[in-house]
Structures are given as C-alpha cells and as structure tokens.
Amino acid sequence: MDELGRSQSINSFSKFDFFRTVPADFTSKSKTGGIISIFTIFFVFTLLYAETHAFMEDKYYSTIMVGRVPGHDHLNCDINITMLENSCDNILMRYRTASQGKTLFHLDTSLMHFTDYHGSCKIEGIFRIQKVPGFLEITLKKAGSKNISLGHHIDHLMLGDLTGFEDELFLHEDIPSAVYNPLRDHNEYYYIAGHDSEYHLQLVHTVVQLYDEDSKEEPYQYVYTHKYHKTTDSYPGIKFFFDWSPITIKYGIMSFHFVDLLGEYAALTGGVFTAALFLHSFLINFFQAVYDKTLAPLTATKLSA
C-alpha cells in the first residue's frame, strides 16, 4: 500500500513536468554526436574561463555632464616655471581681471619657493586662485625700460586636485594623462622683447573616481594656445588666462555583481549547447540525405540482381 501511494504521489507531480524525457529505446548514440559533445564541453569551459577573466578585470567608463560645479570657488594651481636671466627679488606674481586688468587679490605664496639658480629664478609650489574670469601674471617689479624680454621654461602647470603629484603616477594608464599637463617642458627661450607672452587656457572640470567615494579626485584638464601681444603695462609679463568650461567629465569603474556573472554563465552555456544541437541535427540530416541519394539506389540494384 505504501508503494502504491508513493506511486500515485509521483504520478500527480508528473503532470507538471515541463522537461519530458525520451525513453532510452527511442534514442541512439553516434560517433558524430560523441565528437560534437566533446568539442562542445571543451568550448564551453574555454568560454567560461574567458568570461570569468573578463569579469575580474576593471571596466572603465567616462561620462560628460553639463552644469555648475558646486564647492569649487577656488582652484589649486601647481606651477614650476623658471624665469631666465632674472633675479627672484625682482619677480612679481598677481592675479588680475581679464577686462579691466585690476588686481583682484594678492596671491598667497606661503607654499611657493623662489630660488635663484645660475642667474635665473625658479618658481615652484602651490597657490590658490579665485574662479573668476582673469589671468595670472608673472612680471617684473622694476626694469630699465619696457623693451625687455622674459624668456622662460615651464616644467609643469597642473590645476585642481592634481597639485603636488606627478600626473602619470596619479592617474590610471587608461586615462589620458597628457591633458592634465600639456605645458610640460614648454620653452620660450627666444622671447619677443616688449611683448606679453599670453597663454589662453580652456579648463574642463574632471572627476576621477576609480575605487570608492573616498578616492574621488577632481583635477582640471586643459588645452592652451600661445601668442605674443605688445604690452600695455609698465613692463611685459607672462600671462595665463583661465576660461572655465561648463562641461564636467567623469571617469569611473563599472561595478558588477556575481549574479551578473551567473547570468552570463547560463546564457553562454545554453547558447553553445543549442548551437551544438543544431550542428548535430544538420550533420545527421546531411549524411542521411547523401546516403539516400547515392548508397541506397546501389544497394537496391544489387538486391534486385
């Protein structure tokens, strides 16, 4: 009675079986099917390994946004410039408006270093400027005449959170580091006397977040153009004009969960086995058709003879 009840219970559940099996008497194994099955299993494991390896690698993305950047009323600047044939005691740095040329504020040079080196002045360090239209000016406090030249060498000029770091070491290799310091090793040895050396910089705010929220850095990319302009000031100077773009570019890492990996496994395995099934059916039907057209008539002729 127990076996009868258990059999009835199984039969009742079998009504809901969506995966019907074919009795062994109606199936047959073939050499072609065995070869295809071996290659299918090998191919599946190869693809699973490749998928797992790709899942473990970091995947980077970039996004472009337009809007005001909050909390960025001031901008850090890291500069390293050498003024040729000029003493540091005669160097003046200031930030002025782009329209009227008035001095907005005196720069805090407490983190700057002015070093006399073989008759030239090396200026390096970090300072902050206000994010208002204007330009940074490096000029002379006094000179014998206006017709003088200010030859210079720029080692680097970096803006934002990149200050104090080498850009190649700071950013990931997939992110173009050159755009954060395009003025690296820029030389103006043959300076036109009595002219201002003007650098016009187009700045783009950038967010680099490669790990977590604490690792977020906000440097500024920039491109520049350079030209000489006859000075209207007492003495010629080197001027860096800043123009802020409303665009923000964000670099980050795409995050995935292991559920996504399991879904990739399922889709990959199902797809490969389905393709193998179609291939097996095609080969069986192809060889059967060849047999029906060539071997079957010959066999029938021999039997009739």
Side-chain angles (χ1 to χ4, degrees):
M1 295 294 294
D2 294 337
E3 294 181 357
L4 181 59
R6 195 161 42 246
S7 176
Q8 292 177 351
S9 176
I10 293 175
N11 290 333
S12 61
F13 281 111
S14 64
K15 297 178 181 179
F16 303 98
D17 185 10
F18 294 106
F19 308 98
R20 307 295 175 88
T21 58
V22 179
D25 296 338
F26 295 96
T27 61
S28 62
K29 298 180 180 180
S30 64
K31 185 186 297 185
T32 304
I35 295 174
I36 294 177
S37 298
I38 293 174
F39 277 101
T40 300
I41 293 174
F42 174 77
F43 191 58
V44 165
F45 277 102
T46 302
L47 292 181
L48 290 179
Y49 171 78
E51 188 68 31
T52 305
H53 186 268
F55 179 81
M56 294 301 177
E57 289 183 343
D58 293 332
K59 298 178 179 62
Y60 296 90
Y61 71 91
S62 59
T63 304
I64 298 179
M65 301 171 287
V66 178
R68 183 182 180 276
V69 182
H72 277 246
D73 297 330
H74 291 79
L75 180 67
N76 293 331
C77 300
D78 183 359
I79 192 171
N80 186 323
I81 183 173
T82 300
M83 307 293 295
L84 304 177
E85 300 179 356
N86 284 282
S87 172
C88 291
D89 294 334
N90 198 31
I91 297 297
L92 174 65
M93 288 182 63
R94 57 188 176 183
Y95 193 78
R96 306 171 67 183
T97 59
S99 57
Q100 299 179 359
K102 296 182 179 179
T103 301
L104 289 180
F105 59 91
H106 295 284
L107 295 175
D108 181 9
T109 59
S110 59
L111 299 178
M112 301 288 296
H113 301 281
F114 296 80
T115 307
D116 287 308
Y117 181 75
H118 295 293
S120 301
C121 179
K122 184 177 182 180
I123 306 172
E124 59 181 336
I126 301 173
F127 60 92
R128 303 188 73 190
I129 59 174
Q130 292 182 0
K131 283 189 59 176
V132 292
F135 60 92
L136 172 69
E137 181 182 26
I138 303 176
T139 186
L140 301 179
K141 296 179 181 178
K142 59 182 179 179
S145 69
K146 182 182 293 189
N147 193 30
I148 57 175
S149 63
L150 291 179
H152 56 277
H153 166 76
I154 302 176
D155 181 80
H156 67 254
L157 174 62
M158 294 182 287
L159 308 169
D161 289 342
L162 275 175
T163 56
F165 299 92
E166 287 291 332
D167 46 356
E168 289 88 356
L169 299 177
F170 184 80
L171 295 177
H172 192 274
E173 59 183 2
D174 292 340
I175 301 175
S177 58
V179 296
Y180 298 97
N181 189 16
L183 280 172
R184 175 184 293 278
D185 293 328
H186 179 81
N187 298 310
E188 289 294 332
Y189 294 146
Y190 304 102
Y191 194 99
I192 301 178
H195 287 68
D196 293 328
S197 181
E198 297 183 353
Y199 296 89
H200 294 261
L201 281 62
Q202 178 72 46
L203 279 64
V204 179
H205 176 249
T206 307
V207 178
V208 181
Q209 188 171 355
L210 301 182
Y211 301 103
D212 51 24
E213 187 67 26
D214 296 333
S215 68
K216 183 173 69 173
E217 301 290 345
E218 300 186 40
Y220 279 79
Q221 304 181 34
Y222 69 90
V223 294
Y224 75 94
T225 57
H226 176 259
K227 68 176 182 179
Y228 287 103
H229 185 271
K230 190 172 182 61
T231 185
T232 57
D233 299 324
S234 300
Y235 307 111
I238 304 171
K239 300 177 180 179
F240 297 91
F241 291 84
F242 299 101
D243 184 17
W244 282 269
S245 170
I247 295 176
T248 295
I249 300 177
K250 181 177 181 180
Y251 295 102
I253 292 183
M254 300 177 65
S255 60
F256 296 94
H257 302 283
F258 280 100
V259 176
D260 301 322
L261 181 61
L262 295 178
E264 294 289 340
Y265 283 168
L268 187 149
T269 305
V272 171
F273 274 99
T274 301
L277 178 62
F278 282 120
L279 177 61
H280 179 261
S281 300
F282 170 78
L283 292 177
I284 293 296
N285 294 329
F286 175 77
F287 288 123
Q288 185 65 41
V290 171
Y291 174 79
D292 293 339
K293 289 185 178 181
T294 58
L295 298 180
L298 294 176
T299 304
T301 302
K302 291 180 180 181
L303 292 177
S304 63

